[in-house]
């Protein structure tokens, strides 16, 4: 199957999932209090980008004292920044962004599926299942696109495996960058990544002929990730 056909299938499946939001005026993807919070935060980030404001603090809550947003959300605004053009287009634009999130999840997972399964058809099937996994769909229906935004999550195990199976240090740098992006996207995802990667680390070290070199690459990646997320720890 060609890449274009795969992408077309991902787009079609994702579009069907948000079809009601396209058909009904002013209908937003997601329900509940978090959906309204998401809509507010996306607007807040759009205002911060447009006016050069600090997204970590706002007086739009509890005026005039204001509210420190970092302790509430961890400044996980990657999806909000990317979603600004869609948010500005209204609820239907936001529905398009949900499609972008889902298709992006699929495309970012595809290399990992190919690496692990070593078969194009199986990799495609696994990718399609990943795109519509219950976790992502639940978070979207609950109005939490930040949690459903998984673009960088598959890159961590992908480059973790590449570090162990290929020579050089480029994959270690990519691993560190990917891990940092996961953290900046949604801090709690780091715990999920750790649970996923620990068995992979054990397995790859057992099969590697140069486990110490592999450990050195992973250590470099970890150090880079910590450096890139360090600004979050600075008051």
């Amino acid at each position: 199957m060609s890449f274009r056909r795969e992408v077309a299938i991902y787009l079609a499946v994702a579009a069907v999932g948000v079809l009601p939001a396209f058909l009904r005026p002013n209908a937003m993807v997601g329900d509940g209090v978090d959906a309204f919070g998401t809509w507010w935060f996306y607007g807040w980030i759009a205002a911060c980008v447009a006016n050069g404001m600090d997204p970590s603090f706002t007086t739009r809550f509890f005026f005039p004292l204001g509210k420190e947003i970092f302790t509430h959300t961890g400044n996980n605004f990657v999806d909000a920044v990317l979603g600004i053009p869609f948010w500005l287009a209204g609820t239907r634009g936001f529905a398009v962004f949900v499609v972008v999130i889902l298709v992006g999840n699929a495309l970012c997972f595809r290399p990992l599926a190919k690496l692990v399964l070593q078969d194009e058809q199986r990799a495609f099937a696994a990718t399609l299942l990943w795109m519509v996994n219950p976790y992502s769909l639940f978070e979207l229906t609950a109005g939490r696109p930040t949690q459903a935004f998984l673009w960088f999550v598959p890159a961590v195990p992908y480059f973790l495996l590449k570090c162990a199976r290929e020579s050089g240090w480029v994959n270690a740098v990519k691993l560190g960058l990917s891990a940092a992006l996961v953290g900046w996207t949604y801090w709690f995802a780091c715990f999920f990544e750790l649970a996923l990667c620990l068995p992979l680390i054990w397995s790859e070290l057992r099969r590697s002929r140069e486990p110490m070199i592999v450990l050195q690459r992973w250590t470099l990646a970890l150090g880079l990730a910590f450096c890139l997320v360090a600004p979050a720890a600075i008051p």
Side-chain angles (χ1 to χ4, degrees), residues 2-147:
S2 68
F3 176 73
R4 288 185 179 180
R5 184 171 297 180
E6 279 194 28
V7 174
I9 293 173
Y10 300 146
L11 282 169
V13 173
V16 169
V18 299
L19 187 60
F22 284 124
L23 298 178
R24 296 172 56 193
N26 300 319
M28 180 180 174
V29 177
D31 191 18
V33 64
D34 284 334
F36 294 103
T38 292
W39 193 253
W40 186 92
F41 275 114
Y42 274 46
W44 168 244
I45 294 303
C48 288
V49 172
N51 300 292
M53 297 186 296
D54 179 7
S56 301
F57 182 85
T58 179
T59 56
R60 296 186 182 185
F61 285 126
F62 311 117
F63 183 85
L65 298 178
K67 176 178 176 57
E68 199 220 343
I69 294 179
F70 177 77
T71 55
H72 186 181
T73 67
N75 279 9
N76 291 143
F77 297 138
V78 173
D79 60 303
V81 172
L82 295 175
I84 288 174
F86 302 93
W87 181 86
L88 293 173
T91 54
R92 285 197 171 102
F94 185 77
V96 173
F97 184 53
V98 171
V99 172
V100 172
I101 290 176
L102 289 172
V103 175
N105 285 352
L107 295 178
C108 292
F109 180 80
R110 186 65 166 79
L112 177 63
K114 176 64 183 303
L115 177 66
V116 173
L117 298 175
Q118 296 293 310
D119 180 87
E120 290 290 346
Q121 298 303 318
R122 292 177 182 177
F124 164 70
T127 301
L128 189 59
L129 290 173
W130 169 259
M131 188 182 76
V132 295
N133 72 78
Y135 169 78
S136 295
L137 297 185
F138 172 77
E139 295 297 341
L140 288 171
T141 56
R144 296 189 289 264
T146 301
Q147 286 87 325

Side-chain angles (χ1 to χ4, degrees), residues 175-234:
L175 174 59
L177 290 172
S178 301
L181 286 169
V182 168
W184 278 111
T185 304
Y186 182 51
W187 294 116
F188 285 106
C190 296
F191 296 105
F192 307 150
E193 288 280 22
L194 183 62
L196 170 65
C197 290
L198 282 177
L200 293 178
I201 291 172
W202 174 253
S203 173
E204 291 302 311
L205 286 178
R206 291 188 63 184
R207 65 183 289 179
S208 176
R209 295 181 178 179
E210 299 176 319
M212 293 306 299
I213 294 179
V214 173
L215 278 174
Q216 289 173 10
R217 294 177 189 146
W218 289 341
T219 301
L220 170 65
L222 184 63
L224 176 60
F226 272 120
C227 290
L228 292 174
V229 300
I234 300 175

Side-chain angles (χ1 to χ4, degrees), residues 162-179:
K162 298 279 276 187
C163 276
R165 299 177 184 183
E166 297 180 3
S167 60
W169 297 86
V170 175
N171 287 317
V173 174
K174 293 179 179 179
L175 174 59
L177 290 172
S178 301

